[in-house]
Amino acid sequence: MAADGSIIIDTRIQTEGLSKGLNTIKAGMTRITAQVSKMGETAKNSFQRQIATVNSLYQSYEKQERKVAELKSKLDELGKSKIETEEYKQISDQIKALETDFEKIESKQREWIDMGFPVDSGPVKELDKQLDEIWADMKRLQNKQKEMQVSGSAYIDPKSTDAYKNTLQKYDEESQKLERINGRLYSSYNNLKEKSRGISGKE
């Protein structure tokens, strides 16, 4: 609790749902509003503006809290994303190209066999040789990718991306704004609570 009596909420940790402190304000406002409704018009008017201010700040806090929670969720999502390095992507492209070549040669081989070429004939065996070479290249590249995955060089650190950095900056800014609203809300509520003590002689 801060020196002014407000309950400071660590928005970086707690961004889901209403805090216990906010629930206290909600209950307190219900009680104060009920007490004020029993007063005369002149006395009631002196409270209305303060009640409206607290209610407005409460709604602003809820709205800002949702915004911070959404940014936190996006930040978590970005932090878990897997972004391939350029080298890893190039190997993937090479594998796809080899797969296409493999399918073309395999199709050609089937055509020749359907045309009557013996399986052990020179032309068909030559295509077999080409298929073996392509298959060996594909396995070599796939093994290279597996090695990169194990070593951690397949993916870049998602927290180093501009998307993550920009979202983090926005999250920090909106969290600070939430903390400022929090301070104003509790200050206004505490002032109203002090003023309302004269109604019933207690909080």
Side-chain angles (χ1 to χ4, degrees):
M1 183 174 290
D4 63 356
S6 64
I7 301 171
I8 303 301
I9 298 169
D10 186 352
T11 55
R12 296 173 192 282
I13 298 174
Q14 181 170 339
T15 53
E16 297 180 1
L18 294 174
S19 69
K20 183 178 178 181
L22 287 181
N23 281 328
T24 299
I25 284 186
K26 193 172 185 179
M29 287 302 294
T30 300
R31 188 167 57 250
I32 291 170
T33 302
Q35 290 172 338
V36 170
S37 67
K38 299 172 184 177
M39 300 169 64
E41 286 303 315
T42 303
K44 187 186 298 185
N45 288 337
S46 71
F47 280 93
Q48 292 298 350
R49 281 193 298 274
Q50 282 183 274
I51 289 174
T53 297
V54 174
N55 285 334
S56 177
L57 285 169
Y58 188 92
Q59 290 170 7
S60 295
Y61 188 96
E62 286 186 304
K63 183 178 179 181
Q64 187 65 19
E65 190 179 41
R66 285 193 295 271
K67 185 183 291 187
V68 171
E70 287 169 5
L71 285 168
K72 180 66 166 61
S73 178
K74 184 178 180 181
L75 207 57
D76 289 342
E77 186 179 331
L78 288 171
K80 295 173 185 174
S81 61
K82 287 189 175 182
I83 305 168
E84 297 177 353
T85 60
E86 284 303 316
E87 182 183 1
Y88 192 88
K89 282 192 281 189
Q90 287 174 4
I91 294 175
S92 294
D93 291 340
Q94 290 171 14
I95 291 174
K96 287 177 183 177
L98 287 171
E99 288 173 345
T100 300
D101 291 343
F102 190 94
E103 289 171 4
K104 286 179 181 177
I105 294 174
E106 194 175 41
S107 177
K108 185 176 183 181
Q109 188 184 56
R110 282 197 301 269
E111 287 178 12
W112 285 13
I113 292 173
D114 290 344
M115 288 168 60
F117 282 87
V119 176
D120 59 352
S121 64
V124 174
K125 290 178 74 174
E126 177 60 30
L127 293 180
D128 265 337
K129 183 181 176 183
Q130 292 179 32
L131 288 172
D132 287 343
E133 290 174 351
I134 292 173
W135 184 258
D137 286 341
M138 286 171 58
K139 291 300 292 181
R140 177 178 57 80
L141 291 172
Q142 287 169 348
N143 287 335
K144 173 65 176 174
Q145 283 192 321
K146 287 178 182 177
E147 289 172 7
M148 291 179 73
Q149 289 171 3
V150 172
S151 69
S153 60
Y155 307 102
I156 65 174
D157 179 4
K159 294 182 180 180
S160 69
T161 63
D162 288 340
Y164 186 91
K165 289 177 181 177
N166 292 337
T167 303
L168 178 60
Q169 182 180 352
K170 186 69 174 173
Y171 172 70
D172 286 340
E173 291 171 356
E174 296 301 332
S175 293
Q176 289 168 15
K177 190 182 294 184
L178 181 62
E179 289 170 3
R180 288 194 296 272
I181 296 173
N182 172 65
R184 288 165 55 203
L185 172 59
Y186 276 96
S187 177
S188 296
Y189 172 69
N190 285 335
N191 288 338
L192 178 60
K193 187 170 68 173
E194 285 299 317
K195 187 176 179 180
S196 71
R197 280 178 176 172
I199 301 174
S200 60
K202 60 181 179 179
E203 292 186 19

